[in-house]
Amino acid sequence: MIRKITTIGMMLSVAVISFNCSNNDDDNEMQESVTTVYVQEDQMGRPAVNTVFVASADKDVFNKTIPSKQGAAFASKFKTNLEALSPAFNESTDKNALGQTSTAFTTLLATDVLNVSLDGTTTFYDGTNVLTGRALADDVITVELILIFGGESGLTMSENPTLSDDNVSANDKDFLTSFPYLASPW
């Protein structure tokens, strides 16, 4: 009798252990519920635009403003900063190499997105196409300096030549020919 009770007890113990060691990973009762909240902390559609035209006090607000609302919120501040910064925009009729007045140019800049041509050349500027995207080798900062300081003939004869070129003509390392295409930082 004692032997039967011991056998039954051992069988019950094995059954309990087997039940608790289920390998069913699809059991929803075992999963934790995780909620992830992402917060936008920074944005930079066009290099240096945020750095140059957004005042320190406005950085957090600008970085968290969706691009479709940035123009209305920041274009007038961009215009004030551009006219104070660039002698090429001293007069209200002054234009940049794209033929834009300070109002038109800062309205474009204040919406900080990188436009991309879906059916044409992708470039920041290649001599013909302007702001249709960005290739890694594009000299983005020099193009921006030309548009800010170069005046109407900035592409061929800048009004402020010492302010219209970053004097960095190429990346210091070759870009890769396959993804991720960026040059190694080392």
Side-chain angles (χ1 to χ4, degrees):
M1 179 73 165
I2 293 177
R3 191 173 196 181
K4 283 186 180 179
I5 293 173
T6 303
T7 303
I8 292 172
M10 289 178 62
M11 291 172 65
L12 286 173
S13 296
V14 169
V16 168
I17 290 171
S18 296
F19 178 76
N20 286 329
C21 294
S22 170
N23 64 357
N24 182 0
D25 293 338
D26 297 329
D27 188 358
N28 288 334
E29 293 177 24
M30 300 298 286
Q31 294 179 353
E32 291 182 32
S33 175
V34 177
T35 301
T36 303
V37 177
Y38 295 97
V39 176
Q40 183 172 327
E41 294 290 334
D42 193 12
Q43 65 176 312
M44 191 168 291
R46 295 186 193 100
V49 170
N50 183 337
T51 304
V52 172
F53 289 102
V54 179
S56 296
D58 293 334
K59 292 280 186 200
D60 289 341
V61 174
F62 181 81
N63 287 328
K64 293 178 181 178
T65 301
I66 60 172
S68 62
K69 302 211 183 270
Q70 287 176 326
F74 292 96
S76 66
K77 290 181 179 182
F78 276 39
K79 181 179 176 186
T80 299
N81 291 340
L82 176 66
E83 291 173 349
L85 184 66
S86 176
F89 285 101
N90 279 344
E91 304 294 328
S92 63
T93 56
D94 284 338
K95 296 178 181 176
N96 65 13
L98 299 177
Q100 297 171 315
T101 63
S102 59
T103 300
F105 185 44
T106 53
T107 298
L108 171 73
L109 293 179
T111 301
D112 193 20
V113 296
L114 183 60
N115 300 324
V116 176
S117 173
L118 298 178
D119 57 0
T121 302
T122 299
T123 183
F124 212 71
Y125 176 72
D126 66 358
T128 304
N129 301 289
V130 181
L131 303 177
T132 59
R134 180 183 178 190
L136 286 175
D138 288 347
D139 196 349
V140 174
I141 298 300
T142 292
V143 171
E144 291 177 343
L145 291 173
I146 289 169
L147 295 176
I148 293 168
F149 297 106
E152 293 150 4
S153 59
L155 295 174
T156 55
M157 185 178 289
S158 174
E159 291 179 20
N160 301 286
T162 58
L163 300 174
S164 300
D165 192 338
D166 66 359
N167 295 309
V168 178
S169 59
N171 202 40
D172 60 342
K173 293 186 175 186
D174 292 334
F175 294 111
L176 303 176
T177 57
S178 60
F179 187 80
Y181 302 105
L182 299 173
S184 168
W186 298 277

